[in-house]
Amino acid sequence: MNINKQRAFIIHFFYFLILILLVYVGIKYVFPLLMPFVIGIIIAMSFRNLIDLIAKKAHVKRVLVSIIILIVFYGLVGFIISLIGVKMVNFINSLFYSLPSLYKETLLPAFQTVTDNMIHKYPSTKSYLDSFMSNIDQSVFDYLTKISSKVVGMATGFASQVPTLLIKLIFTIVSSFFFTIDYYKITRFIIRQFREEHQKIIIKLKDNVIGSLGNFIKAYAAIITITFTELSIGFWIIGIPTPFLFGLLVAIIDIMPIIGTGAVLLPWSVIAFIMGNTKIGMGMLILYIVITVVRQIIEPKIVGQQIGLYPIVTLVLMYVGAQLMGVLGLLILPIMATILIKLNKEGSIHLFKI
């Protein structure tokens, strides 16, 4: 009896190990390859209920409602991206072209004043300070040259990626139309490929995936809203122009785990201190600390509550997922855990005792 139990345990262990490896390979390699179609399916699932409701209430064909909803959706997305893109390009252009004059009119006079005061107090240091100023001048020139070449390189690299991005965008839009219009035909066809006893599990799995994904989106929408509010209020107090626009941009950047608010607020703080603007420098530093602390506290709690996991479990899964699969793993691993827990509670699978 013990031998049979051990054999069964070993079989189940290797079965789940192979399954986990297949899922990992799928998410790591297949998932990115099919990303336009994955996004198309997500869009179709997101608008399914709204389309059904409008079609039923207005007594209009579902195909027509689907087309109108998606046209409006892509129109709004395009308008928002264009608006933000124009603002960002203008801001980066103005900052980039003002760097040389900023150095000559602000930084260089400040360094010169400091060295003049030092020479006045300690005349013996004149030769060293002159050499120091000459080195700084050359270093800043080299740095600005490097920045210019990097910006040109980034622009060239982005331009070379435009055809690929355009192809992906076209496939995403076209697939979302097909998936939305033929949503029920496609889902019925997929379900028919399984045996009757497995169809209920597939339907439950689909509902759990949609529900978990929706809850995850709600969680991060709440986090973005909180971060946006903190940033907008902080920028307004500090005296930054158009605080709400900058708050929105930095909040969107903050949702990216690799970048975060530090990529914007910390350099901004350093530049402000160098320019002698202590108020903005300290304000950006304090704002970064507040947002980072609040984000670390609320993220596992909000995400955990939405997807039904303990905050510490959510935190561990997000970290492990990010280490294994990058940004995608940060989202997918907690969702997979939620689906498994729900299926286990419903009795569809038996992984652990509740």
Side-chain angles (χ1 to χ4, degrees), residues 209-219 306:
V209 169
I210 295 170
S212 299
L213 190 62
N215 289 334
F216 218 81
I217 291 169
K218 286 178 187 176
Q306 286 292 337

Side-chain angles (χ1 to χ4, degrees), residues 257-278:
I258 297 172
I259 303 174
T261 53
V264 178
L265 298 184
L266 290 180
W268 201 336
S269 175
V270 171
I271 292 169
F273 276 123
I274 291 172
M275 292 177 64
N277 197 328
T278 309

Side-chain angles (χ1 to χ4, degrees), residues 96-115:
F96 177 71
Y97 286 114
S98 65
L99 281 176
S101 60
L102 177 68
Y103 170 68
K104 288 181 181 178
E105 297 172 9
T106 306
L107 297 180
L108 188 60
F111 282 129
Q112 193 64 56
T113 302
V114 172
T115 53

Side-chain angles (χ1 to χ4, degrees), residues 218-327:
K218 286 178 187 176
Y220 274 98
I223 292 169
I224 290 176
T225 304
I226 292 168
T227 306
F228 164 71
T229 305
E230 291 171 334
L231 286 164
S232 299
I233 293 171
F235 288 156
W236 177 71
I237 292 170
I238 296 168
I240 302 299
T242 60
F244 295 105
L245 176 62
F246 280 113
L248 178 62
L249 292 175
V250 180
I252 292 169
I253 292 171
D254 183 53
I255 212 70
M256 305 173 189
I258 297 172
I259 303 174
T261 53
V264 178
L265 298 184
L266 290 180
W268 201 336
S269 175
V270 171
I271 292 169
F273 276 123
I274 291 172
M275 292 177 64
N277 197 328
T278 309
K279 179 187 174 185
I280 290 180
M282 282 300 298
M284 291 295 172
L285 193 60
I286 293 168
L287 193 57
Y288 170 71
I289 293 169
V290 170
I291 288 169
T292 303
V293 171
V294 172
R295 173 75 183 270
Q296 295 302 316
I297 293 170
I298 66 170
E299 185 171 14
K301 189 174 179 62
I302 290 176
V303 175
Q305 285 177 346
Q306 286 292 337
I307 65 178
L309 295 174
Y310 289 109
I312 185 63
V313 176
T314 308
L315 190 65
V316 170
L317 290 171
M318 290 171 70
Y319 176 78
V320 173
Q323 294 299 312
L324 290 175
M325 293 170 278
V327 179

Side-chain angles (χ1 to χ4, degrees), residues 16 74 84 125 135 140 173 185 191 196 203 210 262 308 324 335 337:
F16 282 112
Y74 283 118
I84 294 173
T125 61
N135 289 334
V140 171
I173 293 172
K185 289 181 181 178
I191 290 171
E196 191 173 343
I203 292 169
I210 295 170
L324 290 175
I335 291 175

